[in-house]
Structures are given as C-alpha cells and as structure tokens.
Amino acid sequence: AHMYRNGYKKIRFMDGKMEPFVVEREELYPYEEFFKDDYITNPGLQAAMLNYFQEFRKQAPLENRGDILKRREQIMIDMMLNAEYMVPCVKEETEEEVEISHHFIDITDRVTEKEEGEHVIAIPVFTDGFEMDKCYEGHYENMLYKFDELVSLMDELGASGIIINCLGISYFMRTAL
C-alpha cells in the first residue's frame, strides 16, 4: 500500500550480478485494495518529501550536493503548493449553524528560527488519511483544503504556519513564504 501512497510505480530486486528483476506495484498489491473513499492521497508530494529529506539527511558535505538539495526542495515546494490536505476539525451543529474549530500544535520548542519570546503555533495538516490516523485515528472529522485556502485559514486563525504530517516526515511552513 505504501508504494501507492509514496508514488512508487515499481520495485527493483538486484543481486549485483544479473539483470534486475522489476515488479510493477499492481502485481504486488492491486489498487482497489489500497484505495479508500474517505482518504485522499498525494503520491507526488509524498515522493517529493521523501526525496528531499533523504538528501537532506545525508552525511556528505553540503557543497557536494547543494544543487541537488535545492532542486529537490523546489520540487517539494511546488508539489506542496498544488496538493490538497486533510485538516482535522471539530464540527458542532445546531439548527441554526455549523461551528467548525481547528486543532493547533505548539511547536515553539521545535523551531529554531523565531523571534525571542515568540510562540510558534501551527495548524496540523496531513497529506493523506494514513498520516492523519497517526494523530487522530477515530477521533476526528476533517476538511479538505488546497494550499491557498490553508494560507487564508492561517491568517484567519492567527497561526504561525502549518505543520505537514506532524508524526511522519514532517515539514513546518510559516505563513510568510
């Protein structure tokens, strides 16, 4: 299932001596078994985040891989700007109205670039239901937001930014891009 989530189309097995043995993901796990109506997926974004963070965490000197890192970061940001996100919320309905409130996470201790005394409060957003279940399994409702709608939500709620997949490969993005 993670091959679909992460955007991988095939898996290659190699023993180092012969031609690689390549298997399509559909041969291992049919799409129908993976897909759920209540989950969105962003395989391109997942793949871009994995590629960026794998390069970012390498121990090699930055000057040898700076261009690769910048390209992967730009691809990741482009994918983020074009993705849809699941945002957990609490909906309370009365006969007159529907009130929606959103969760916040205080990440002040995790952010190094901040003004002295600043509290960094982020709205948790998720690339898919699998990531959201890590935090809110069975205890949430959610709304789908495009990135520009998230920017409006951050401004409306006075949040410092969003944190994407806070218990996975996470990425904090401030309101000012």
Side-chain angles (χ1 to χ4, degrees), residues 2 28 35 38 53 56 61 87 89 142 162 172:
H2 291 289
L28 298 171
F35 185 75
D38 57 342
F53 286 111
F56 180 79
V87 180
C89 63
N142 68 78
I162 59 173
F172 172 65

Side-chain angles (χ1 to χ4, degrees), residues 40-42 45 79-87 125-128 143-147 149-150:
I40 63 162
T41 59
N42 286 304
L45 176 55
M79 296 301 286
M80 286 177 173
L81 295 175
N82 292 306
E84 283 190 321
Y85 300 90
M86 295 177 79
V87 180
V125 304
F126 300 92
T127 56
D128 59 39
M143 296 178 67
L144 292 180
Y145 283 83
K146 293 183 178 182
F147 189 82
E149 295 169 329
L150 281 175

Side-chain angles (χ1 to χ4, degrees), residues 51-70:
N51 288 336
Y52 172 72
F53 286 111
Q54 284 175 347
E55 188 66 35
F56 180 79
R57 292 179 177 147
K58 283 184 180 174
Q59 299 299 315
L62 184 59
E63 59 270 2
N64 296 343
R65 58 190 176 86
D67 289 339
I68 293 171
L69 191 61
K70 285 178 187 174

Side-chain angles (χ1 to χ4, degrees), residues 129-148:
F130 180 81
E131 291 294 334
M132 191 160 152
D133 283 348
K134 290 178 183 179
C135 293
Y136 299 101
E137 185 171 19
H139 303 288
Y140 64 86
E141 293 188 57
N142 68 78
M143 296 178 67
L144 292 180
Y145 283 83
K146 293 183 178 182
F147 189 82
D148 57 334

